[in-house]
Amino acid sequence: MRANPGPRYLAVNGDEGEPGTFKDRYYLERVPHLFLEGMLIAAWAVEAETCYIYMRDEYPAVLEILAAEIAALEAAGIVAKGYIDLRRGAGAYICGEESAMIESIEGKRGLPRHRPPFVAQVGLFDRPTLVHNIETLHWVARICREGPEVLNAVEKNGRKGLRSYSVSGRVAKPGVHLLPAGSTIRDVIAAAGGMAAGHVFKAYQPGGPSSGLLPASMDDIPLDFDTLQPHGSFIGSAAVVVLSQQDSARDAALNMLRFFEDESCGQCTPCRAGCEKAVKLMQAEHWDRPLLEELCQVMADASICGLGQAAPNPIRLTMKHFAEEI
C-alpha cells in the first residue's frame, strides 16, 4: 500500500454475510472502541486519507453503536469530522467479497471485479485501498495494547494463536467461543456446552456453507488455516454449524445451494446457471453423481469469485461422506 502513490483509503469489511457467522457482531456490540482503535492504527500505517466502514444493514444495533462511537471520536478531536465514513450495505452476500464491496461503496451494483489489478493498487475510486475485516482490526488494537502474547501465547496441536468460533446448531450453548487455533470440532462442541439434549453429533460445517459438510468421524482435524484444504474444505470465517442424527446431510447441502443460488450476483454464467442447475439436480430422489461432479468442476474452475468457486463444496463433500443419503 505504501509503495503506491496517495491518496490511499482503508475499507473495512463488516458485511459478515456467511450464514452462521456472528463474531464481528459479537465484538462490535461489546467493545466497539477496540475495533475503531485498530482501524485507526491500520489507517495510520498506510497513511489512509479516509476510512470506510461497510456495515451489514441487518445489524441495526451495531450501526447505532458505531455512529455514537464515531461521533465521540470526532467530538474528542481524535479524528476530523468525516474521516470515518460509515456505509450501510443492502444485504447482498456477494458484497462480502472485497471488490464487490468496493463497487457497492462507490454506489454501484455489487459485482466482483476481475483481477489484476488488485485493490491494493486500484481499489476504491481507483485509488490504492487496504481492505480489512472487523475482527482483524480488533486484534490489531489488542496486540498493540497487550503485546503479541495475547494472540500467540496459546498453543494446541502444534499451532499457535487464538480463533473466534461462531458456534450454532445442535449444541447446548451457541455463541462466540474463543479457543486456541488448532482446536478440533470436539473442542468446539465441548466449549459450547456439549451437544443439545437428545442430539448425537453427526456432521458439521467448519466455516459456513462455503466449507461444505464434514462427518463426525473427522473430528480430529485442527480447525485452522491450511488444515482443512486436503479434505476439500476450509476454515473461512470459522462459522461452525453442528448437525445431529436428527438432521439430513442431503437437505442441509440443498439448503446451502439454495442460498448460493439466491445470492449469486449473476455476473458470470458458471455461478449463475451452475447454482440453479445444482439445486434442480439435488432435488431428485437419486443424485446424478457424474453430472453433478462435472457441474462442480466447471463452477470451481470458471467462476469469477469465491462464491461460485466454493459453492461445489457442499455437493462434493455430501457425495463423498454421506453417499447413503443420496
Side-chain angles (χ1 to χ4, degrees), residues 156-157 165 179-180 182-190 204 218-223:
K156 187 177 179 67
N157 291 329
Y165 296 92
L179 295 169
S183 295
T184 65
I185 185 62
R186 290 289 180 186
D187 298 323
V188 172
I189 292 172
Y204 66 103
M218 297 174 68
D219 62 357
D220 58 346
I221 305 168
L223 301 183

Side-chain angles (χ1 to χ4, degrees), residues 7-267:
R8 309 178 193 89
Y9 297 116
L10 170 64
V12 182
N13 191 340
D15 191 61
E16 197 162 50
E18 191 78 17
T21 311
F22 43 87
K23 59 182 178 57
D24 293 348
R25 175 183 176 179
Y26 177 89
Y27 288 121
L28 287 173
E29 287 182 345
R30 288 158 178 80
V31 283
H33 54 281
L34 270 179
F35 150 68
L36 288 167
E37 182 173 323
M39 181 188 73
L40 293 177
I41 292 167
W44 166 82
V46 297
E47 298 175 346
E49 191 168 279
T50 310
C51 302
Y52 292 87
I53 304 174
Y54 189 81
M55 183 51 57
R56 186 168 177 76
D57 203 39
E58 291 87 341
Y59 290 172
V62 169
L63 284 163
E64 193 171 318
I65 290 166
L66 282 177
E69 292 287 340
I70 292 167
L73 287 174
E74 292 173 348
I78 294 172
V79 298
K81 192 169 181 61
Y83 180 72
I84 303 172
D85 192 332
L86 182 61
R87 296 289 181 98
R88 291 162 55 188
Y93 172 69
I94 193 64
C95 290
E97 197 277 338
E98 64 176 11
S99 63
M101 175 191 70
I102 285 173
E103 290 281 300
S104 182
I105 293 173
E106 291 179 353
K108 295 179 280 188
R109 186 179 174 191
L111 299 176
R113 297 176 179 176
H114 290 272
R115 297 173 180 81
F118 295 96
V119 298
Q121 285 82 41
V122 183
L124 198 54
F125 307 117
D126 295 330
R127 302 308 308 161
T129 305
L130 176 66
V131 176
H132 261 315
N133 173 263
I134 298 284
E135 191 196 0
T136 307
L137 298 175
H138 169 93
W139 283 109
V140 165
R142 287 200 60 184
I143 289 166
C144 287
R145 282 169 173 257
E146 304 169 50
E149 298 77 23
V150 68
L151 190 60
N152 71 3
V154 184
E155 185 170 349
K156 187 177 179 67
N157 291 329
R159 305 179 73 84
K160 276 193 171 185
L162 290 170
R163 286 199 65 81
S164 303
Y165 296 92
S166 305
V167 188
S168 60
R170 310 296 194 176
V171 292
K173 297 177 182 176
V176 174
H177 296 279
L178 192 62
L179 295 169
S183 295
T184 65
I185 185 62
R186 290 289 180 186
D187 298 323
V188 172
I189 292 172
M195 295 296 292
H199 291 273
V200 178
F201 180 37
K202 173 183 177 177
Y204 66 103
Q205 292 176 27
S210 302
S211 66
L213 207 57
L214 296 175
S217 58
M218 297 174 68
D219 62 357
D220 58 346
I221 305 168
L223 301 183
D224 201 7
F225 292 114
D226 305 325
T227 56
L228 292 159
Q229 278 82 340
H231 306 283
S233 184
F234 54 85
I235 187 62
S237 59
V240 179
V241 182
V242 179
L243 276 61
S244 77
Q245 86 286 3
Q246 297 186 25
D247 300 307
S248 161
R250 171 201 178 102
D251 290 348
L254 177 58
N255 187 52
M256 296 177 216
L257 264 294
R258 280 180 170 144
F259 172 78
F260 292 136
E261 178 190 27
D262 192 53
E263 293 293 342
S264 172
C265 75
Q267 181 180 191

